[in-house]
Amino acid sequence: MGTDVSMDSAICVAGSRFIRAGFLATNCTDNLVIFINSGGEALENEDSNFHVKPDIFFQGGDVLRTDEPVIDGGDFPSIYQSARFGNFCYQFENLSPGDYFVDLHFAEIVNTNGPKGMRVFDVFIQEEKVLSELDIYSIVRANKPLQLVDVRVSVTKDGMITVSFEGVHGSPVINGICIRQAPQLAASEVKHGSITCNNCAAEIGLSSAQSKLIRMKFAAKYEKKIEELSAQCQLKSDECYEAWMSLTAANKQLEDVRAELDKRIFQNYYQDQAMEKQAEKLRDASNMYEHDKKFWVASINELESKIKNMKREHSQLSCEAHKSANSIPDLNKMIIAVQAIAVAECDDLKLKYSEEQEKRKKLYNQIQEAKGNIRVFCRCRPLSKEEGASGHATIVDFTAAKDGELAMLTGGSTKKIFKFDRVYTPNDDQVDIFADASPMVISVLDGYNVCIFAYGQTGTGKTFTMEGTNKNRGVNYRTLEQLFKIAEERKEIFTYTISVSVLEVYNEQIRDLLATSPTSKKLEIRQATEGVHHVPGIVEAKVENIKEVWDVLQAGSNGRAVGSNNVNEHSSRSHCMLCIMVRAKNLMNGECTNSKLWLVDLAGSERLAKTEVQGERLKEAQNINRSLSALGDVISALATKSSHVPYRNSKLTHLLQDSLGGDSKTLMFVQISPSEQDLGETLSSLNFATRVRGVELGPAKKQIDMGELQRMKMMLDRVKQESNSKDEAFRKLEENFQNLEGKAKSRDQIYRNQKEKVNELELQLESKTESCRQLEKQLLQLSEGVKKEEEIGLTLQQKVKELENKVKEHELEESKIHKVKELENKLKERTQDFELHTSILKQKIKELESKLIMQGESLGFQSLEKKNKGLEEKLRQPTPGSAERPRVTPNEQKAWSRTGTMCGTDPQSLRRLNSSNGAMSQSSGLLKGADSLRELRRKRELQSKGIENNFLLSASLIEHKTTLQKESNKGRHIDPSKALARVTRITKLATAQRPLSNNRINREQQATGVKERDNRTRVWSR
């Protein structure tokens, strides 16, 4: 469903449509004008007589082609396998005026793995957009066709159709363009634009240009309205933001005031708690000290006893250590002796192991030599289906096959018996064959040359025995597998390097089957200084595992020459020779060996009269028979122990000279046919095998690599010369490097500057391209969505209403803030009234004190005492809104003074205490002249009464303060008892201060009165 929506949204022209299938020639055979294959060649359809022209009429762009199959490609799937992409356009000229249909063919053949949006582009026909942001991959995925059909285009007198492409993301692409003649529309189908007259209500016809002009005017009108609405919306949003910010600032200020007040209250509360905790900690610390003191005394006593025991044990251990130190030299001597014995035994075991290995190899080679250095195995293939259908009988008797004997029925009841080292029946498989040939593999790894070859007439299974199939491997594969297996077992003693070459001798010419490209240069056999024969220029593939071996064998087998004749449909026409070179190094004694294993699949021996070949096949057969005859001559010369062995009569025998001589081991598979029609060839092969079995080559020799030491010496001299020259060159390079380093630094700086400039230009380019894309999208949205703009206008009106509601809410919040400010002003006024009241009370107290002094001088001590008691009773009476508080005893005063000196008090509270203490000292200064005990007692009573009066006055002030705080904080609750407790502690601390003189008391009273007034104004302003 989402794909259909994206398809419909991409089409900008009414009447056109997408088709998710390839082009069919039957759809446009009658009205076709031209069909071009973009980026491709001309195409023809013989059935429909339909022609597709090559890529013409284009301007710019590049060609893109692929071999991937196109799904549902229609009659011409190759159209969608080529494309033109990049910055290009098409111009079709010389067209007759009229209406045409333009069909566009697309396929995504580049970004086959996606994702969506990798290639997005627009298509214009006659400068009018027909496709907008087309993404082929999102509609049909990769390697699938997509058609845009029935795009109606009008051609004027200029006779031209222009198709252009513009990329949004990535490069545009087109696979084909088809132009068809469009049928004329009937008068009823033609739709003209019209407008209604405002005066007469008549409809006036409009041309397409006029209707387009009217649409543009309407679009401009709506764009202007949208701009005005957006400006109004921005203005309202700015006003709302400013109102919101002012409200936020006021709330923040209010919260800061509240937080400061809470902070001060909690500071006092936490100080009280800290004092209590410290006192408790002090008590706990003293208790812990006593407990720890007892514990450490007990621990010290216990440690002293332990130290005595440890000293006694230390003396015993020191004695034992001296004894052990004296026995160390004897132990060292014993260890050295044991090590010497172990080393001697290890060397002896190594020597015995190497001797045993040499004996094993010697005995094993003796057994092989006793059996015969050239061993012959005979293998008979089963009857083929054609031979069984023709009624051919089997002429081979396998009764004594286990004893190595084979009987041939030559005619009637006569039998000819042949004896070989091993005889295999048709029922024996490849595993049995290789089980008897596997001992030769061990000889190769021990450093001996070995040759295994298959001989017999064509069609007897030589290639099957040597190579086998994927499911039933032959001798070649199994031999190499055995090599790697034994090499892995011996890896701790020997290191092996194995390389493989595959040759064929075809028409007495040596061909390299592993060569990647054929060369005209002939491959010839050369003899090295050590007497080893080799072929210069041949490919030697190093193999490290069996998988690489199989790849090499397959490559060689595929390049071998084969042909057909009357005897065998797939007859080998050459001798295939697999050469395996093994380089071994003994890690125990450093001995190196180079051995060679030849695995040869000889071409089939055949009679020319029976095969009836001619021409090139006749020449091949003659060369095959000639090389096999040369092999027979070599075998005969070896059998008769002739002084001259004709190895050079054939390339085959020349290559096998190292493995057929007296210092190698040879194994021959003679392949025979059981059919009576091949009796002559079978007897010939068996007679040749009998001669080969009679050859005695003598003991084989190990191929020790004597040239390794000389090569190492030469390499050492060469390395010394090279090191001297390199040292000199290194000095020069260091000088050049320093020069180049300076140049490189300057170049790096230039490069960094240029890179920064390039990055700035790239950023500017990206911003400009992004702005261009955004402008294009806005233009498309405005041209296609005039109706949507009206809906946007309605939504904007609703948003304006919502903003107005928010503004009203903001105004309500501002009124609340105004009320809060009024409450704060009231609070300030009350604090000022309270300060005036307190100042008046202080003045009255001073007047009363002065009157008391005057009256005390005139009336005497008794009347002064009475009036003083009356004043004390008046001061004890509670003020309105306060509660009675208990008196404070002198002992409590001392306790609070001690705790105050321990924990420390706030400086402001100390100032308040000084002011109260000043009043107390003033009242007590009246009795300085008396020295009697009664006067001293009265003095203490007056001191305690003055403290109680100050205490009552402070409590009333605190309660008045808490009531004002309740009014200002609205819902915030502060416990007055806690505030009262703090004030009582401050008054208790004041009792510890010493009395001052009258002059000093007056000065301090004036200073503390001003400070108290300032502090109270600060508290109440909060």
Side-chain angles (χ1 to χ4, degrees):
M1 189 67 183
T3 306
D4 296 336
V5 172
S6 63
M7 288 171 60
D8 296 338
S9 63
I11 297 173
C12 301
V13 178
S16 58
R17 57 194 174 88
F18 277 121
I19 298 176
R20 300 182 187 177
F23 172 73
L24 298 176
T26 57
N27 294 340
C28 60
T29 53
D30 297 335
N31 53 0
L32 179 67
V33 177
I34 188 172
F35 194 118
I36 64 167
N37 182 12
S38 298
E41 306 295 337
L43 304 172
E44 292 185 2
N45 190 342
E46 297 178 357
D47 297 336
S48 59
N49 195 17
F50 187 82
H51 300 279
V52 178
K53 292 188 177 183
D55 194 8
I56 54 177
F57 301 116
F58 62 87
Q59 294 180 2
D62 297 317
V63 175
L64 181 69
R65 292 176 183 169
T66 184
D67 295 330
E68 292 293 327
V70 178
I71 301 169
D72 197 8
D75 294 338
F76 295 94
S78 58
I79 291 173
Y80 304 100
Q81 291 178 334
S82 62
R84 180 162 293 278
F85 74 101
N87 187 11
F88 64 95
C89 67
Y90 281 88
Q91 286 186 354
F92 299 92
E93 300 176 349
N94 300 326
L95 298 174
S96 301
D99 292 343
Y100 293 87
F101 281 138
V102 179
D103 300 339
L104 303 177
H105 297 265
F106 305 96
E108 182 57 68
I109 60 176
V110 182
N111 300 319
T112 56
N113 293 324
K116 298 178 182 180
M118 289 291 287
R119 188 192 305 285
V120 181
F121 57 93
D122 301 333
V123 182
F124 299 85
I125 299 178
Q126 301 293 58
E127 298 183 357
E128 183 180 359
K129 185 180 285 188
V130 297
L131 284 177
S132 175
E133 297 187 2
L134 175 63
D135 186 1
I136 304 169
Y137 184 85
S138 65
I139 298 174
V140 293
R141 301 298 182 190
N143 295 324
K144 290 183 181 180
L146 178 66
Q147 300 183 55
L148 176 68
V149 298
D150 297 341
V151 180
R152 183 176 286 273
V153 179
S154 298
V155 178
T156 58
K157 293 180 181 180
D158 59 356
M160 183 183 295
I161 294 178
T162 302
V163 183
S164 59
F165 302 83
E166 292 184 3
V168 178
H169 299 291
S171 300
V173 67
I174 186 72
N175 297 84
I177 301 175
C178 177
I179 299 177
R180 298 179 284 118
Q181 190 73 40
Q184 293 292 332
L185 293 174
S188 60
E189 296 179 354
V190 178
K191 296 181 181 178
H192 298 284
S194 63
I195 60 175
T196 305
C197 180
N198 295 329
N199 298 324
C200 60
E203 290 188 355
I204 302 171
L206 296 175
S207 64
S208 60
Q210 290 174 341
S211 62
K212 186 174 182 181
L213 181 62
I214 290 170
R215 287 198 301 271
M216 290 175 65
K217 288 181 179 180
F218 274 111
K221 180 181 176 183
Y222 280 112
E223 285 176 358
K224 189 173 181 182
K225 286 184 179 179
I226 288 168
E227 290 178 356
E228 292 175 356
L229 289 172
S230 60
Q232 291 177 4
C233 180
Q234 184 65 32
L235 184 61
K236 292 292 184 182
S237 63
D238 293 340
E239 291 176 356
C240 291
Y241 178 73
E242 291 175 359
W244 176 257
M245 290 302 293
S246 63
L247 179 61
T248 305
N251 289 332
K252 187 176 181 182
Q253 290 176 0
L254 183 60
E255 288 295 328
D256 292 340
V257 171
R258 290 176 178 175
E260 185 67 24
L261 185 60
D262 292 341
K263 184 179 178 182
R264 294 297 174 88
I265 292 169
F266 282 114
Q267 279 179 356
N268 295 329
Y269 176 69
Y270 287 139
Q271 284 178 359
D272 295 340
Q273 285 187 343
M275 289 169 64
E276 292 176 358
K277 287 180 180 178
Q278 285 185 359
E280 188 176 355
K281 285 181 180 178
L282 185 60
R283 287 194 296 272
D284 294 339
S286 62
N287 295 330
M288 287 290 293
Y289 172 74
E290 294 295 332
H291 180 267
D292 291 342
K293 185 177 180 181
K294 294 177 181 178
F295 174 75
W296 286 115
V297 169
S299 299
I300 289 168
N301 295 329
E302 186 178 356
L303 284 172
E304 286 177 352
S305 62
K306 286 182 179 180
I307 288 168
K308 291 179 182 178
N309 295 330
M310 290 175 68
K311 285 181 179 179
R312 190 166 51 254
E313 291 176 357
H314 175 70
S315 61
Q316 293 176 359
L317 288 172
S318 61
C319 296
E320 292 178 0
H322 286 300
K323 293 178 181 178
S324 299
N326 295 329
S327 63
I328 286 173
D330 297 334
L331 289 173
N332 290 332
K333 291 178 182 179
M334 290 174 64
I335 290 168
I336 293 167
V338 171
Q339 287 179 349
I341 293 168
V343 171
E345 288 181 354
C346 182
D347 294 338
D348 189 26
L349 288 172
K350 286 183 180 178
L351 183 63
K352 288 180 180 179
Y353 176 75
S354 59
E355 290 176 356
E356 285 296 325
Q357 212 171 23
E358 290 293 331
K359 288 180 183 179
R360 185 188 65 78
K361 291 179 182 178
K362 188 174 180 181
L363 290 171
Y364 180 79
N365 290 321
Q366 287 176 0
I367 291 169
Q368 293 297 317
E369 290 169 5
K371 290 182 178 178
N373 280 335
I374 297 183
R375 306 191 69 198
V376 179
F377 294 165
C378 179
R379 187 179 190 184
C380 180
R381 69 168 176 81
L383 282 174
S384 63
K385 294 181 180 179
E386 292 80 6
E387 291 172 345
S390 301
H392 296 294
T394 302
I395 58 171
V396 183
D397 184 9
F398 298 103
T399 305
K402 292 183 179 179
D403 299 328
E405 293 184 357
L406 182 73
M408 295 294 299
L409 303 175
T410 56
S413 60
T414 59
K415 292 183 180 180
K416 188 173 182 179
I417 298 174
F418 296 91
K419 187 169 181 63
F420 300 105
D421 295 297
R422 189 76 167 83
V423 176
Y424 301 102
T425 65
N427 297 326
D428 294 328
D429 57 4
Q430 300 280 59
V431 178
D432 299 329
I433 300 297
F434 183 71
D436 294 322
S438 59
M440 292 292 183
V441 178
I442 302 173
S443 299
V444 174
L445 294 176
D446 292 338
Y448 296 94
N449 288 339
V450 178
C451 176
I452 301 174
F453 64 92
Y455 177 86
Q457 73 175 98
T458 182
T460 55
K462 298 185 296 299
T463 304
F464 176 75
T465 298
M466 298 304 292
E467 296 182 5
T469 61
N470 289 338
K471 296 182 179 179
N472 196 4
R473 312 281 191 177
V475 173
N476 293 355
Y477 182 87
R478 295 176 187 272
T479 298
L480 284 161
E481 188 178 23
Q482 185 77 0
L483 278 177
F484 282 109
K485 183 178 179 181
I486 297 174
E488 181 66 23
E489 293 174 356
R490 297 183 180 182
K491 66 181 180 180
E492 295 181 358
I493 303 170
F494 292 91
T495 58
Y496 294 99
T497 303
I498 301 173
S499 59
V500 180
S501 299
V502 184
L503 310 174
E504 71 169 356
V505 179
Y506 177 72
N507 286 341
E508 287 300 311
Q509 297 293 328
I510 299 173
R511 292 171 58 185
D512 188 359
L513 298 181
L514 296 182
T516 55
S517 59
T519 58
S520 59
K521 184 179 178 181
K522 285 187 177 181
L523 298 174
E524 297 295 338
I525 304 170
R526 295 286 184 267
Q527 185 174 359
T529 55
E530 294 85 1
V532 180
H533 293 79
H534 70 288
V535 181
I538 196 169
V539 176
E540 294 182 0
K542 287 187 178 181
V543 290
E544 296 181 356
N545 52 60
I546 196 64
K547 183 181 181 303
E548 295 179 0
V549 169
W550 180 247
D551 295 338
V552 171
L553 295 180
Q554 287 291 99
S557 179
N558 294 334
R560 188 178 180 186
V562 296
S564 62
N565 53 37
N566 292 341
V567 179
N568 189 4
E569 184 177 358
H570 300 285
S571 176
S572 300
R573 313 309 298 161
S574 64
H575 307 297
C576 182
M577 308 176 70
L578 175 64
C579 181
I580 302 167
M581 286 150 285
V582 180
R583 176 177 175 79
K585 183 176 181 180
N586 192 330
L587 301 178
M588 303 286 289
N589 54 21
E591 183 183 20
C592 296
T593 59
N594 283 330
S595 56
K596 191 184 296 183
L597 170 62
W598 284 99
L599 300 173
V600 185
D601 178 12
L602 297 174
S605 60
E606 54 193 22
R607 295 182 182 179
L608 300 180
K610 187 173 182 179
T611 56
E612 297 179 359
V613 293
Q614 296 178 356
E616 188 67 24
R617 291 288 181 264
L618 177 61
K619 183 180 178 182
E620 293 172 354
Q622 290 173 348
N623 285 320
I624 290 170
N625 291 333
R626 190 179 296 116
S627 60
L628 292 176
S629 299
L631 179 62
D633 295 339
V634 169
I635 295 297
S636 298
L638 292 172
T640 58
K641 298 183 179 179
S642 175
S643 59
H644 173 68
V645 180
Y647 290 112
R648 296 178 181 269
N649 288 354
S650 173
K651 294 287 176 62
L652 174 65
T653 55
H654 198 181
L655 282 170
L656 297 177
Q657 183 175 352
D658 298 338
S659 299
L660 292 176
D663 56 351
S664 64
K665 300 180 181 182
T666 307
L667 171 63
M668 172 182 171
F669 286 104
V670 57
Q671 300 284 141
I672 62 173
S673 170
S675 177
E676 59 183 358
Q677 66 174 351
D678 299 325
L679 178 61
E681 287 79 1
T682 302
L683 290 173
S684 177
S685 299
L686 293 173
N687 289 327
F688 178 77
T690 302
R691 281 191 293 149
V692 171
R693 188 169 181 267
V695 175
E696 296 179 2
L697 296 178
K701 296 180 181 179
K702 184 182 289 188
Q703 305 298 314
I704 299 174
D705 190 2
M706 299 298 294
E708 184 70 21
L709 184 60
Q710 296 178 357
R711 283 196 294 272
M712 293 297 292
K713 289 181 179 179
M714 292 173 67
M715 287 174 64
L716 184 60
D717 295 335
R718 201 178 299 118
V719 166
K720 287 181 180 179
Q721 293 176 0
E722 289 177 357
S723 64
N724 294 330
S725 61
K726 285 180 179 179
D727 290 338
E728 186 65 28
F730 182 75
R731 293 192 195 96
K732 295 179 180 179
L733 285 172
E734 283 182 344
E735 296 175 358
N736 293 332
F737 177 76
Q738 292 176 357
N739 297 329
L740 290 172
E741 193 173 12
K743 294 179 181 179
K745 288 180 180 178
S746 61
R747 288 181 181 176
D748 287 338
Q749 187 64 32
I750 295 168
Y751 172 76
R752 291 191 192 97
N753 297 332
Q754 291 179 352
K755 192 173 183 181
E756 290 175 357
K757 291 179 181 178
V758 169
N759 291 332
E760 290 176 359
L761 292 172
E762 286 177 353
L763 291 172
Q764 292 176 4
L765 182 61
E766 287 178 358
S767 63
K768 288 181 180 179
T769 53
E770 185 65 25
S771 61
C772 289
R773 288 174 184 168
Q774 291 178 359
L775 288 172
E776 287 177 358
K777 290 180 180 179
Q778 289 176 3
L779 288 172
L780 290 172
Q781 291 173 0
L782 289 172
S783 61
E784 295 175 356
V786 175
K787 293 182 180 179
K788 293 181 180 179
E789 290 173 357
E790 295 177 355
E791 296 177 358
I792 292 169
L794 294 173
T795 55
L796 286 173
Q797 289 178 359
Q798 292 177 359
K799 288 183 179 179
V800 168
K801 291 180 180 179
E802 291 175 358
L803 290 172
E804 289 176 354
N805 294 328
K806 289 181 180 179
V807 169
K808 291 178 180 178
E809 292 175 359
H810 178 64
E811 291 175 355
L812 291 173
E813 289 176 354
E814 285 183 347
S815 64
K816 291 180 181 179
I817 293 169
H818 184 65
K819 289 180 180 179
V820 171
K821 289 181 178 178
E822 289 178 356
L823 290 172
E824 288 178 353
N825 292 329
K826 289 179 180 179
L827 183 62
K828 289 179 181 179
E829 291 175 0
R830 289 185 179 181
T831 54
Q832 292 175 359
D833 294 336
F834 178 75
E835 288 173 359
L836 290 171
H837 181 66
T838 52
S839 63
I840 291 166
L841 286 174
K842 285 182 179 180
Q843 289 177 0
K844 288 182 178 181
I845 289 168
K846 287 180 181 180
E847 290 175 359
L848 289 171
E849 287 177 351
S850 62
K851 287 179 181 181
L852 284 170
I853 293 168
M854 296 293 293
Q855 289 177 3
E857 291 175 354
S858 62
L859 297 176
F861 182 76
Q862 293 179 355
S863 61
L864 180 61
E865 187 178 2
K866 291 179 181 179
K867 289 182 180 179
N868 195 8
K869 288 181 180 179
L871 285 172
E872 286 175 356
E873 289 176 359
K874 288 180 181 180
L875 290 171
R876 286 195 189 105
Q877 292 178 1
T879 58
S882 63
E884 289 186 1
R885 298 291 181 264
R887 293 177 176 235
V888 181
T889 62
N891 293 328
E892 290 177 346
Q893 290 175 8
K894 292 177 183 179
W896 282 110
S897 64
R898 283 196 299 270
T899 55
T901 54
M902 283 173 62
C903 300
T905 58
D906 188 79
Q908 294 179 0
S909 62
L910 287 172
R911 294 191 193 103
R912 295 192 191 108
L913 289 171
N914 288 333
S915 65
S916 62
N917 196 10
M920 180 188 67
S921 61
Q922 248 188 3
S923 61
S924 62
L926 297 173
L927 302 176
K928 272 188 177 181
D931 295 328
S932 64
L933 183 61
R934 181 179 178 184
E935 288 175 353
L936 292 173
R937 192 180 296 117
R938 289 180 182 275
K939 185 178 179 181
R940 291 193 191 100
E941 290 177 358
L942 286 172
Q943 286 178 354
S944 62
K945 289 176 183 178
I947 293 168
E948 289 173 359
N949 291 333
N950 288 329
F951 164 73
L952 293 173
L953 180 61
S954 300
S956 63
L957 290 175
I958 287 167
E959 286 184 1
H960 186 62
K961 176 181 173 182
T962 53
T963 55
L964 291 175
Q965 286 179 349
K966 287 179 182 179
E967 291 178 0
S968 62
N969 291 331
K970 288 185 179 180
R972 295 167 58 86
H973 178 71
I974 299 172
D975 190 359
S977 63
K978 293 182 179 179
L980 182 62
R982 285 195 294 273
V983 176
T984 56
R985 292 190 186 99
I986 291 168
T987 55
K988 289 173 184 178
L989 288 170
T991 59
Q993 303 296 326
R994 296 176 63 186
L996 302 174
S997 63
N998 291 329
N999 295 330
R1000 188 176 175 185
I1001 288 166
N1002 292 329
R1003 285 196 301 271
E1004 286 179 357
Q1005 278 182 350
Q1006 292 175 2
T1008 52
V1010 174
K1011 290 180 181 178
E1012 280 181 356
R1013 207 164 43 245
D1014 294 335
N1015 291 330
R1016 286 168 184 168
T1017 54
R1018 288 174 191 167
V1019 172
W1020 289 112
S1021 64
R1022 296 193 202 101

